Amino acid sequence: HRRKRHHRHSHHRSHSRALVVSMTVLGVLLLLVAGVAAGVIVVGKRGENQIKEAKTQTEITAPEDVQVDEEGKFIVYNGEKYCYNDNVINILCMGVDRSIQNTSDDNIGENGQADVIILASLDTHTGRLTLINISREAMVDISLYNVQGNYIGTENRQLCLAYAYGDGKEGSCLNTAEAVSRLMYGMPINAYMALDLDGISVLNDAVGGVTVEILEDMSERDPALKQGSIVTLTGEQAHTYVRSRDTELLESNSLRMERQKQYLSAFMQKTLSEIKANPTVVLDLYQTASEYMITDISPSQAMYLASLVVTTGFSGGDMMTVQGEVVDGGKYAEFIPDNKALYQMILNVFYEKIE
């Protein structure tokens, strides 16, 4: 990627960041299955056409050794030709920490941070849902705005800060979507959803808890969270498991993302099981989540997505993580994506090989 001048400013605090993985997962699921409880399994083209109108207008780009034709619709890479899959819908899901929010008129960059960033890619032809987990510390060019919405410029910063430079609402979501699209070589983003952290314990318990094998020893925080133990996380346990990290370790966010990935997969499997047993559970969960959610997905769009996902389901193998290296930026950790691996992921998810 083209790199602009490096700026190390960050609002990253020394204490552990509050994450919202369970809420993010719930948001992904509820937005995809909201229509099922109402008995809507088949919907018209209206929802499809609306949601396929990408919210980001970032130009599709590629590494220097890739040939790009027709504005990214076709590319040639390593002697192979690929075509962009027009059936793909991309939804940006964010878990937002608003504890540092400051919306005074003379303030900029203090409208919360996107601490959990997951790009949900849904193939409308096959119904396959792929979740791409992106580090909050990924370095990318982000657009800077003040709270009045005045554009300041772009700088290379941690991805999580894209949300901070906005209005703390829809504007922040769109700014983060634009930054993610830049990171992903201009892949379009069709919709967004941001969830606050305050309901994590309630939402986790709403599905009866989530069972995981503890990946890291957290017995100092909770005696039950001993490495290797099989635990059904409830309430504050889930909150602790998905949000905590040792900020003294450079790799702390990467380690935490592994827990997020594990929890996310387990949560989705548990939630789908609950929905199959009792579809009306969706209505209760959605109502609870709506108190903490900002999204541009309408009910008709949610029902369209529901008709695709519910019958297909989700497997842990459909979750990916953007690979890269964590480096010491002098004061803060910086995640430098492996562009070769990232582009291969893009080909696998968003393109189809032309035989």
Side-chain angles (χ1 to χ4, degrees):
H1 288 307
R2 172 172 52 88
R3 294 290 182 188
K4 300 187 180 179
R5 70 181 181 87
H6 180 66
H7 189 98
R8 287 176 178 167
H9 169 73
S10 173
H11 298 283
H12 181 71
R13 295 182 175 183
S14 59
H15 64 275
S16 62
R17 284 286 178 198
L19 295 181
V20 203
V21 171
S22 64
M23 296 172 63
T24 302
V25 179
L26 181 61
V28 174
L29 287 172
L30 294 180
L31 289 173
L32 296 177
V33 302
V36 177
V40 182
I41 302 301
V42 179
V43 296
K45 284 288 183 180
R46 180 181 178 184
E48 177 182 1
N49 292 335
Q50 288 176 340
I51 203 166
K52 280 189 174 181
E53 295 177 0
K55 298 299 187 296
T56 59
Q57 301 299 322
T58 308
E59 179 185 0
I60 292 180
T61 60
E64 292 182 358
D65 59 343
V66 177
Q67 177 184 332
V68 180
D69 298 320
E70 297 186 30
E71 299 181 338
K73 181 174 178 61
F74 298 99
I75 64 101
V76 179
Y77 180 59
N78 287 340
E80 302 284 352
K81 192 170 184 179
Y82 298 82
C83 177
Y84 182 80
N85 184 0
D86 289 326
N87 295 315
V88 169
I89 290 175
N90 298 314
I91 304 169
L92 180 62
C93 304
M94 296 159 280
V96 177
D97 178 4
R98 293 193 178 90
S99 63
I100 58 173
Q101 190 169 26
N102 182 346
T103 57
S104 60
D105 290 343
D106 59 349
N107 188 66
I108 62 171
E110 290 282 359
N111 282 320
Q113 293 187 11
D115 275 350
V116 177
I117 303 166
I118 296 174
L119 185 61
S121 179
L122 176 64
D123 188 323
T124 61
H125 179 68
T126 64
R128 183 188 179 191
L129 175 65
T130 302
L131 303 182
I132 301 175
N133 197 8
I134 307 171
S135 172
R136 68 183 297 280
E137 297 169 347
M139 301 302 292
V140 64
D141 292 339
I142 66 173
S143 298
L144 310 183
Y145 297 86
N146 60 19
V147 291
Q148 290 81 25
N150 298 319
Y151 178 70
I152 300 172
T154 61
E155 289 192 8
N156 193 252
R157 301 191 178 188
Q158 291 176 324
L159 176 58
C160 62
L161 293 176
Y163 193 94
Y165 289 93
D167 56 3
K169 298 178 182 178
E170 290 82 1
S172 290
C173 291
L174 287 170
N175 199 38
T176 306
E178 181 183 70
V180 170
S181 181
R182 286 184 182 135
L183 179 71
M184 303 292 289
Y185 287 96
M187 294 300 103
I189 295 177
N190 306 91
Y192 61 77
M193 176 213 58
L195 288 158
D196 204 339
L197 62 85
D198 293 338
I200 183 171
S201 299
V202 174
L203 295 172
N204 178 86
D205 290 352
V207 296
V210 177
T211 302
V212 298
E213 180 178 347
I214 305 301
L215 297 180
E216 298 176 54
D217 187 78
M218 298 181 177
S219 55
E220 290 186 0
R221 296 182 177 91
D222 187 316
L225 303 181
K226 184 177 180 181
Q227 186 175 14
S229 298
I230 306 297
V231 179
T232 298
L233 302 171
T234 59
E236 288 303 315
Q237 284 183 329
H239 192 262
T240 298
Y241 190 68
V242 301
R243 68 170 291 193
S244 300
R245 65 165 169 158
D246 183 355
T247 55
E248 298 298 319
L249 299 176
L250 186 64
E251 297 280 348
S252 62
N253 189 58
S254 296
L255 294 171
R256 181 171 59 180
M257 285 177 67
E258 286 301 311
R259 281 183 269 124
Q260 296 171 12
K261 182 177 180 179
Q262 176 205 37
Y263 180 88
L264 180 61
S265 179
F267 188 99
M268 294 192 78
Q269 298 291 355
K270 180 65 180 294
T271 304
L272 286 173
S273 176
E274 292 289 317
I275 292 170
K276 289 178 181 178
N278 180 12
T280 61
V281 168
V282 177
L283 293 177
D284 295 333
L285 293 177
Y286 191 85
Q287 183 176 6
T288 302
S290 65
E291 298 180 28
Y292 314 101
M293 181 167 61
I294 299 172
T295 183
D296 62 347
I297 295 181
S298 68
S300 64
Q301 292 168 347
M303 289 187 288
Y304 166 67
L305 296 172
S307 68
L308 300 173
V309 174
V310 171
T311 56
T312 304
F314 174 83
S315 65
D318 296 329
M319 187 166 187
M320 304 178 179
T321 300
V322 173
Q323 300 299 311
E325 178 186 10
V326 179
V327 300
D328 188 344
K331 188 175 182 181
Y332 306 105
E334 299 175 357
F335 180 84
I336 310 301
D338 180 335
N339 287 330
K340 184 176 181 179
L342 173 58
Y343 197 70
Q344 187 60 57
M345 176 190 292
I346 288 171
L347 290 178
N348 294 340
V349 176
F350 304 104
Y351 282 83
E352 295 179 326
K353 186 182 293 187
I354 300 175
E355 300 297 340

